[in-house]
Structure formats: C-alpha cells, structure tokens
Amino acid sequence: MKIGLPKEIKEQEYRVAIIPSNVAKLVDAGHTVYVEKGAGAAAGFPDSEYAAAGAEIVESEKDCFDKAELICKVKEILPKEFGLLREDQILFTYIHSANRRPETDELLKSKCIGIALEDMMDDRGHFILLEPMSRIAGEIGLLTGLFYSQTTQGGAGKSICGTIGVKPMKIVIFGAGNVGVAAAKLAMGMNADVVLMDVDLLKLEDVLANKLPGVRTCYSNKANVTREIRDADIVLNCVKWVPGLTIISKEMLDVMQPNSMIVDIDAEPGGAIESSQYTTHENPVFYEKGIRHIGIPNLPSSVANTASAALSNATVKYIKELADKGWKKACMEDKCLEYGLDFVKGYLTFKDTSESFGIELTDKEWCYENL
C-alpha cells in the first residue's frame, strides 16, 4: 500500500505521525511511504533520515495526499486540508469529530475511511492510542501550569514544594486515568499536596493501592469538587470530555482563589470545564472571573521528539495491519481498529458524533456487508 506522511499544519504542532525507524519497518514489509518535505524536521527527524529509511520525499502536502492510499497524521483535518481527501482513502489520525462539525461534514463528503486514534480501545476498555500521549500530556500539563503560576509569568508565585515553614501547593486533579495518574505522580514527587478525584471508586482504589500510596483521593461530585477547588492552587482536568459532562461550571469559579490556575488538558471549549477555550503554546493563558486558564490542545507537541517516538511506536502495528489487509479486513479482524472506525465511505459510524450533531448513525456490520 502507498502510505502518506504529511507535515502537520495545526498551529504550533511539531509532532510527526511516523518516525524514520518505523518507516523502515513499513518499507521492509513491501509498502511505499511518501513523506512531505520537512514533515519531521521540527521533531528532530530530518528528511535525510526518512530517505535513508526508504521513504520517498515529496515536495508538498498535496503531493502526499494525491499519491497515498493511507494518510497517517497526528491532528485532525483542518479547513486548509479540506478537499484533499478522496473516496476510499484511509485517514488514520486523532479526529475528535464529536465537537467539530465542519470536519465531520468534510469527512462524510469525501467518502474516505476515517479511523480515529482516540477511539481505538482494547478488550480491557483501555484507549490504547491515547495512553502514550496521555502520560506525556499529564506531565507537561502540570509543568506548564507550574511555569505560568510563577510571579514572572503573572501567576500567584507559589512553589510547588513549599519550603521550611511554608506549605506546598495544593494540586487538584480530575481523572484517575493515565493522564491524571502521570500528573499526580510527578506532583507528589515534588512534594505537592495532591488530591485525585474521579467518579470511579475502583480506579481510585487501584491508584491508592498499587500506583500512588499516600495520594489523597476523593469522589467527584459537585459538592466535593466545590470544596476541593476552593483552596486549590492548580486544578488539572484530565477527564476525556463526553457531551453533557460538566465538572466545573462558570459559576463554580467564584469559589476559587483569585489568580489560581486551571489547566484543562482535555481542552474542549465549553467541555468538562465550562469556561474552557483553546489556547496555544505561544499564548497559553486567559482569564475568566479572575482565574487563569490554560487550554492547549496539543501539550505533547512541546516535547515533539519524545511524543512522536511514543506515538509512532504505538501506532505502527495498526498502520501495518491496514496496509497489509486493507481497511475492511483489518477492522473486521482487529476489534481495536474497529472501535476507531468512525467514518466509512460517507456514512457515520461513531455514536458520540451522531448524538452531538443529529446525524444518522450507521452500523459498522452493515458497512462491512454493503460497502
């Protein structure tokens, strides 16, 4: 199969979907890989390394899309990329379609096969292609929040670890999954006062017993959230948003300390943190009711070399399956891939997006049999 690796065009997105060593793995399996010129340069993977791995370097994004049958990206399709996809072409990337109507319409219009990395799930219920980025996002989310909490950055000017006679920062973390646990582990390692909140008591029990003995845990409901954020210095949202979920409403910001910080790692505008909006690495902070917010949707991009390698190592198995077998056989034989199969030749097969926009949902089995 012909595989395309275009350069990411989202603002300040420096990651690349496949690193050179994994390009070599695909080429060795008999596939052709086209890499847009400069696609990996910002992440520390120059064109020369891709060429040495057997890739063909092409001049433009359009060349890459035109030549490839399978497009591998990191971020969603943006308006500048509308019109590049075609019928039967496979798109393999983080899509996040449930709150992106223009992208959803474009994917349906193109009649491509859209496989969303964020929806791929194994038989344990783990979102396995979110996990590599999740751990990095949790750590970088905390470090970013700490940096912008410094006095020199307009923050409250507290040290996470405190000092003799001065208490450490209180860090409240929503979500006891990979993102939240990674952030909590790092925060506890720096002697912060950490509260980890979730609605899943089994998750909290597992964290307390097996991962972070000594962490303070708390069941997440409105009353408990309101109490814990009242004196928090930094709040991190590490919960993947689903339509209808609100953890902190705009009204609840009134109880927080002035100039305290919310880092919304999920970063969905109006999502679990109702006051959230997208920000960038260049302009990361905005204020709402005197509370500082960060909503950078691609936090791992700030460590693009590590993040690209982690993502590529996790995805190359599935890229090879798609290239070896084609989308239908690969998805029918691998339930993990099937979970990510959200768009099929003009039909929407992802429930959350169907419910968000009132678009008819099509059964994947019907697609297998009829398309």
Side-chain angles (χ1 to χ4, degrees):
M1 185 175 281
K2 298 175 181 178
I3 302 168
L5 182 63
K7 184 177 181 179
E8 298 297 323
I9 66 169
K10 192 179 182 85
E11 184 179 8
Q12 296 182 322
E13 179 52 70
Y14 306 117
R15 288 172 291 178
V16 65
I18 314 176
I19 63 174
S21 60
N22 287 325
V23 165
K25 183 173 182 176
L26 296 168
V27 171
D28 288 346
H31 304 293
T32 302
V33 181
Y34 299 103
V35 177
E36 182 184 350
K37 185 177 180 180
F45 303 107
D47 291 343
S48 59
E49 290 188 14
Y50 283 106
E56 181 179 330
I57 309 300
V58 297
E59 287 296 318
S60 70
E61 181 182 48
K62 186 176 186 304
D63 289 338
C64 194
F65 274 80
D66 285 349
K67 290 176 179 290
E69 301 162 279
L70 167 59
I71 296 292
C72 297
K73 281 175 46 64
V74 178
K75 299 303 290 183
E76 69 274 9
I77 292 293
L78 299 177
K80 288 182 179 179
E81 296 167 306
F82 288 4
L84 292 175
L85 289 164
R86 62 180 183 273
E87 187 170 354
D88 291 337
Q89 194 171 43
I90 305 168
L91 174 67
F92 190 65
T93 190
Y94 293 108
I95 296 177
H96 296 289
S97 59
N99 68 336
R100 292 180 170 89
R101 182 62 189 258
E103 181 195 21
T104 295
D105 291 341
E106 175 63 19
L107 294 178
L108 292 172
K109 179 183 175 182
S110 72
K111 297 186 177 181
C112 74
I113 307 299
I115 299 177
L117 275 61
E118 74 274 9
D119 297 321
M120 290 174 61
M121 184 169 61
D122 67 11
D123 55 9
R124 302 168 298 166
H126 292 186
F127 292 97
I128 59 169
L129 297 186
L130 281 178
E131 289 182 2
M133 296 301 98
S134 295
R135 287 184 281 270
I136 295 171
E139 294 163 352
I140 298 302
L142 175 66
L143 293 174
T144 302
L146 290 174
F147 179 76
Y148 287 101
S149 292
Q150 294 178 17
T151 305
T152 52
Q153 302 301 319
K158 297 180 182 179
S159 169
I160 186 170
C161 54
T163 191
I164 297 172
V166 181
K167 66 181 182 179
M169 292 174 74
K170 179 180 177 181
I171 312 293
V172 175
I173 300 171
F174 300 126
N178 288 291
V179 184
V181 169
K185 182 178 180 181
L186 184 59
M188 290 183 69
M190 292 188 281
N191 200 41
D193 175 17
V194 180
V195 179
L196 185 61
M197 305 188 70
D198 204 300
V199 296
D200 189 331
L201 295 178
L202 291 177
K203 277 188 176 181
L204 291 176
E205 181 183 13
D206 177 62
V207 170
L208 192 59
N210 301 312
K211 297 173 183 174
L212 295 174
V215 71
R216 288 204 289 144
T217 62
C218 185
Y219 181 73
S220 184
N221 59 28
K222 184 176 180 179
N224 289 343
V225 169
T226 302
R227 183 187 68 246
E228 294 298 339
I229 66 175
R230 192 179 301 275
D231 60 346
D233 297 297
I234 297 180
V235 173
L236 286 93
N237 175 44
C238 304
V239 176
K240 185 177 183 238
W241 180 72
V242 293
L245 172 66
T246 302
I247 297 174
I248 296 181
S249 66
K250 289 183 179 180
E251 289 72 23
M252 292 166 70
L253 298 178
D254 294 334
V255 307
M256 295 183 68
Q257 300 180 93
N259 222 28
S260 55
M261 171 77 75
I262 295 176
V263 180
D264 189 356
I265 294 175
D266 188 61
E268 294 296 345
I273 309 299
E274 189 181 19
S275 51
S276 277
Q277 56 184 265
Y278 291 137
T279 63
T280 66
H281 293 280
E282 186 177 3
N283 295 295
V285 180
F286 71 92
Y287 281 85
E288 177 81 21
K289 291 190 170 182
I291 307 303
R292 293 160 67 81
H293 291 61
I294 291 176
I296 301 171
N298 60 339
L299 280 166
S301 182
S302 64
V303 286
N305 185 277
T306 296
S308 297
L311 177 61
S312 180
N313 291 341
T315 58
V316 67
K317 167 190 172 183
Y318 301 102
I319 295 170
K320 187 174 182 298
E321 284 185 26
L322 289 166
D324 287 346
K325 303 174 182 179
W327 74 269
K328 186 182 292 187
K329 190 170 189 291
C331 290
M332 289 177 69
E333 294 182 357
D334 189 326
K335 287 296 181 183
C336 185
L337 272 171
E338 184 179 72
Y339 277 118
L341 183 63
D342 290 359
F343 296 85
V344 183
K345 297 188 178 185
Y347 293 91
L348 177 64
T349 55
F350 183 49
K351 182 180 178 182
D352 287 0
T353 302
S354 171
E355 292 177 349
S356 287
F357 303 130
I359 300 173
E360 182 180 357
L361 182 68
T362 300
D363 184 73
K364 293 175 186 180
E365 292 296 329
W366 183 90
C367 293
Y368 295 150
E369 294 172 5
N370 294 277
L371 298 176

